[in-house]
Amino acid sequence: MTGTEALSPAERYAASRSRSSTPRLQAFRDRQRFDLDPFQLAACESLEAGRSVLVAAPTGAGKTIVAEFAVFLAMFDARAKVFYTTPMKALSNQKFHELVEEYGPEEVGLLTGDTSVNSSARIVVMTTEVLRNMLYADSDLLPDLRFVVMDEVHYLADRFRGAVWEEVIIHLPRQVRMVSLSATVSNAEEFGDWLQAVRGDTDVIVSEERPVPLDQHVLVRTKLVDLFDTDPAHVSANRVNPELIRLTNAANRADRTGRGHPSARDRRHRGRGPQGPGRFERMDRPDVVRLLESKRLLPAIFFIFSRAGCDAAVRQVLRAGVSLTERHERDEIRAIAEERCRTLLDEDLAVLGYWEWLDGLQRGVAAHHAGLLPAFKEVVEELFQRKLLKAVFATETLALGINMPARTVVLEKLEKFNGEARVPITPGEYTQLTGRAGRRGIDVEGHSVIQWMSGLDPQAVAALASRRSYPLNSSFKPTYNMAVNLIEQFGRERARRILESSFAQFQADRSVVDLARKVREMEQSLSGYEEAMQCHLGDFREYAAMRRELSDLERQSVPADRRGERERRQRQLTSLRKRMRQHPCHSCADREAHARWAERWWRLKREHDRLSSQIKGRTGAVAKVFDRVVDVLLEGGYLERDQHGRIVLNEHGRALRRIYGERDLLVAESLRRGAWDGLDAPSLAAMATAIVYEPRRDEGSQHDADLPRGRFREALDETRDLWARLDDLEHDHKLPGSEPLATGLCLAMHRWAKGGRLDEVLREADLPAGDFVRWAKQTIDLLDQLSVVAQTPVDRVARQALEAVRRGVVAYSSVA
């Protein structure tokens, strides 16, 4: 019996009506390997009906199928365009390749700041920042734009880059339909309500179902134990497995009593495994890999919250002789790696550890983290997707969108260093990490493995694993570049109103509604307390205030050696007691009963005033920050008032419109004051690096003696002076200011731009190759802006510097 025959007549009729009302969706479904899930169907039906959608679903659930349907819809119109935005260049590159495979290279373009391919194509993949810049510049690529996909839209909460998502959502032309794809967040409806308010017709589709079920385990010593009780009577309750509680209690007890202390032999071999109290009980990584292999749980991603830890794990596994591939797989791995890395110079391969890396790949083992060279990272991703790599040791950045599902995810720890302290991972992070487990169409279930360590509490792990979502909170704040762009396009007052439509203000206003309700309830209680403390002899509130003042004064301590102060306080006490005795309420028979009500009134009034102050601070909070930004720009000479008193841009403000980045105003001020005049190309590259570079917290400061000589040092001093003046100006206007310039990478970038060898530059930078390339590309991005905005000759030098930096490993691109 076919699926259609199994349906009742009523169900067949409903299915027929659905097909006739969504013919393009039916055509799209016919092209898919799997039939669409209910949430995918609902979202696609909304799109075909001409509405925008917000789709919130777990990692790996297949949200991108909705975006692909938007592209499919647009291709029916000969003129319609689709912009597909992602938060990361790596994601953009991956999506570009997928769409080229589907629609052909002539229909697909790519814009990522440092890469431009076929920008006038009908389908263009780009980073979100690129689209924001296009909107402010009123780009000629915007006409005929039908759909915008915002992949990983929950990045809106990112405190550094989140504002960009809100800017795009607010400024996109109203007729453009949006496809917003998010991880599962607990306030998807709230975010959808905001999208409805600013974009119009928007449907919210939420799914919490994983397409591949997740089995969760804890590895206690050498035993893999289920996290939750598999007894049918307790499955739905997510009850912790009693066997796991017994095993971990015994292990923790042995650890506390010292029975688990390692023997001399164990201490001699400690280099083989992780170190620390109680960890000798844990299996070494090579043994964990072998255990997973024996249980057919590979390929696996081991999440280690440290780059150095990832690299060390690979070395440890390889030293133990682990090899997870067969001969034909090794041949294929080598061919792919050599093809992808053929553009790298032979002299650089040894510097980059190419041969050791290739040996690990051929044995099915690799690391994946931000310090890895982009070419190497892309090879790891491709090999894993082809099922050729079996064990990847990765930092959590791998969990953010890259398509690398595994059969198993292993978490060695449930805490990470956040830059300041070791903190537990959040339920949202746990969901994101374990979302990589389970390959649709390959695995019946995915697996997560948490490795036991001393002190592990199974109940805490279960609580972490049971909470599937986290709130999406806005990180939006006005910037100088945003302010001048808004004022130029809309004028100050309309710009203020636009900012008041941000998700940040939407959330603040919603919280104000709740606070206002509490304040109203408090006011009713205050009225009741005031009535209860009324005295027929006089104003008891006045009398109660004197009692409180007397009590506060009596509690104050005065040092014995301050005789004058003690005498002054004694006079105050005597005067206050006399006034109290003279007050009519003092002789009231119910005085103490009234006083108890007065004390309650006073405590509640203090809380009432605190909440009222919060409401005042949140109402129009975004617009207030915008006003401070505008005041800085007025005082700094980037805005001025015209003859009608309206605030408008001058030539300096118009230059600032085209400068994007954390230090937009400092860059504009440096160009305006000529601080960078006279720099040669390597020195300007070094200066651009000082602007964009953000050192790690544990990195020491660079001494000026180690910086490039000559004009660079003068220019740096001038730029620092400008930063200090701007920082003072910002603090004067109650803005947070910015960090001082970081010069730790200046000399390395100067040498690179002068043609220095990679090994020398990396040694000088004291950075992994991947990090150096990332900062070099951000330097290129700023130099590109300078080449457009700066006056001659700085614009010409910026172009020379850009070309000098963009060479060798920095110039590598998988889409060139």
Side-chain angles (χ1 to χ4, degrees), residues 86-89 91 128-129 150-166 181-183 185 191 396-402 432 470 472-476:
T86 76
M88 294 182 292
K89 292 176 183 178
L91 267 177
T128 317
E129 281 85 354
M150 301 202 78
D151 203 352
E152 310 281 337
V153 75
H154 51 272
Y155 259 78
L156 180 143
D158 184 89
R159 66 191 182 101
F160 297 110
R161 300 172 57 209
V164 175
W165 275 257
E166 290 191 49
L181 307 179
S182 171
V185 293
F191 185 49
E396 70 267 34
T397 54
L398 185 146
L400 301 175
I402 297 294
Q432 194 87 3
Y470 52 98
L472 178 62
N473 293 314
S474 172
S475 61
F476 184 83

Side-chain angles (χ1 to χ4, degrees), residues 46 112 186 198 274 331 352 359 394 467 526 542 570 626 731 787:
S46 293
T112 60
S186 55
V198 297
D331 291 343
L352 298 168
D359 176 50
R467 289 174 58 194
L526 285 170
E542 182 182 75
Q570 192 57 47
F626 173 72
H731 284 111
S787 72

Side-chain angles (χ1 to χ4, degrees), residues 496-546:
R496 278 182 110 259
R497 289 197 297 275
I498 287 170
L499 292 176
E500 286 175 338
S501 69
S502 66
F503 187 45
Q505 191 59 56
F506 185 84
Q507 287 192 305
D509 289 343
R510 285 208 162 187
S511 69
V512 162
V513 170
D514 188 47
L515 289 174
R517 178 184 54 77
K518 290 180 181 176
V519 165
R520 285 195 300 274
E521 291 171 357
M522 287 179 177
E523 285 168 351
Q524 291 176 358
S525 298
L526 285 170
S527 178
Y529 293 168
E530 196 161 4
E531 189 175 332
M533 71 178 178
Q534 278 185 2
C535 177
H536 66 288
L537 297 177
D539 184 349
F540 200 90
R541 190 167 15 161
E542 182 182 75
Y543 177 73
M546 283 193 284

